[in-house]
Amino acid sequence: MSESHLSKAFLQCIEAECKRIYSIDQRVYTCSVCGGLLDVQYDFRLPRTTADLKSIFKERRLSDSELDRSGVWRFREFLPFVADLSRVVTLSEGNTPIYQAPRSAEYSGISSLRFKHQGLNPTGSFKDNGMTTGVTQAAALGAQTVACASTGNTSASMAAYAARAGMRAVVFIPAGEVAYGKLSQSLEYGAKVVEIEGNFDDAMRLVRELADETDLYLLNSINPFRLEGQKTIIIEMMEQCGWQAPDWIVLPGGNLGNTSAFGKALHEMSELGFINRMPRLAVVQAEGAAPFYELFTSSDKSMLRPIDRPATLATAIRIGSPVSWKKALRALEWTNGAVARVTEQEIADAKAVIGRDGIGCEPASATTLAGIKRLVGSGVIEAADDVIAVLTGNPLKDPTYTIGYHTGKLNLDENESGLMISGNFANRPIRVPAEKRQIKSVLAI
Ligand code: F0G
């Protein structure tokens, strides 16, 4: 069928003292012996040299085949777990641009900065990269109903891919905490939307239990097949850099699936000789939802301490008990990485600055720029470093936040008594009578 069949795929527990192996045909999410997270592992046997593969990856973009044109599946030699490539579920995800961002660079104190914009995916976030692989595996296992807990983007993406695959989708979201763009997508793509009276961590716990007790197939990033697709964000980034790694790759951290996937991608690319230098990963969390920052800066890294009531206006990353923290820690060890945390004000201002570069993103994505500014301030990132940040979601995902910032109505507490965010880069609309003279006067034209 395809050259990628030469590599053998299996699941393996990540715990050093366990390493138990499972077949990829088994419906397991964690190790049944020790409860550890699982990796999709390969006995890689690449059909061509790395140099050949690099040109093949690029040439596929010109192909007429849906599979070749996908920015995930054109790298399929890194994803050799699919027995029947004709059953791949794709929406032409990936192939996202990298933009130079001079205003953002200046704001954060570095000489140049680039953004890879995952918000330009079919459903507007990086989740599509992982959902094409996750739903493809769900189809291979014969799943009829897929499920996830979500702060919004995972559910939007899963709903779309499930609809494409003709599967039922059930999404569990924290009631009242999901941005409207995302909620509207899940409804439109036909998912059954269950609003839990609790936070994301409650929803996550419940859906994991339900997936164990029923035939719901779980598509959160604890499912290692999701992370396989998200690896291609970094593979594609390296391709766009001529396979020369930057000094830093910066991304937001919530449930820490993306951090885990990026680490695995870099590890595999380095082992297989696609890159000869490791970039450093920098993960950024919102101050009110920063359990991974706490873990990383503590002397005892053996256990993450969950945060009971995570709080941030960047609802995508309002997560107190990130499922993939062990894989994320491993990613930072592999890449000599760093973790930063940033305030609500810093996130809001950074988001507006990214907008002024003509790029824009959703709040969680803006933690990257705020984090770079912090890490430059503390001397971890240097002014001359080559930095690429990943913008994880589209600016249209959360219009309520954006309008709130620009009209001076953004605050951390829904009952209006909490922290007010200042619109340091606000761009207020101006209201005028429907009268030309007054318009001219207001615009000074
Ligand atoms: N940025 C955006 C826009 C997200 O939607 C998420 C996660 C993250 C960053 C954090 O990524 O979890 O891999 O560390 N959103 C999930 C969701 C939790 O349900 O949509 P992570």
Side-chain angles (χ1 to χ4, degrees), residues 296 301 328-337:
F296 193 75
K301 295 190 180 49
L329 206 53
R330 179 181 72 172
L332 294 189
E333 278 158 16
W334 279 335
T335 63
N336 185 26

Side-chain angles (χ1 to χ4, degrees), residues 126-127 150-154 253-258 316-317 319 362 364 392:
F126 71 94
K127 306 289 181 180
S150 181
T151 55
N153 280 324
T154 299
N255 217 13
L256 300 172
N258 225 15
I317 51 173
I319 296 175
E362 71 161 276
T392 45

Side-chain angles (χ1 to χ4, degrees), residues 110-112 114 237-238 241 244-250 266 277-282 335-338 375 380-389:
I110 52 178
S111 42
S112 94
R114 287 176 288 171
M237 179 194 287
M238 292 304 123
C241 295
Q244 300 299 314
D247 296 309
W248 289 95
I249 297 172
V250 186
L266 290 167
R277 185 172 90 101
M278 262 301 179
R280 299 178 71 183
L281 285 180
T335 63
N336 185 26
L375 291 167
V380 177
I381 295 182
E382 290 179 24
D385 282 352
D386 183 13
V387 183
I388 303 182

Side-chain angles (χ1 to χ4, degrees), residues 13 31 69 80 92 155 164-165 197 346 430:
C13 175
C31 179
R69 281 210 317 269
S92 290
S155 49
R164 298 295 294 176
E197 292 171 357
E346 288 169 322
I430 33 178

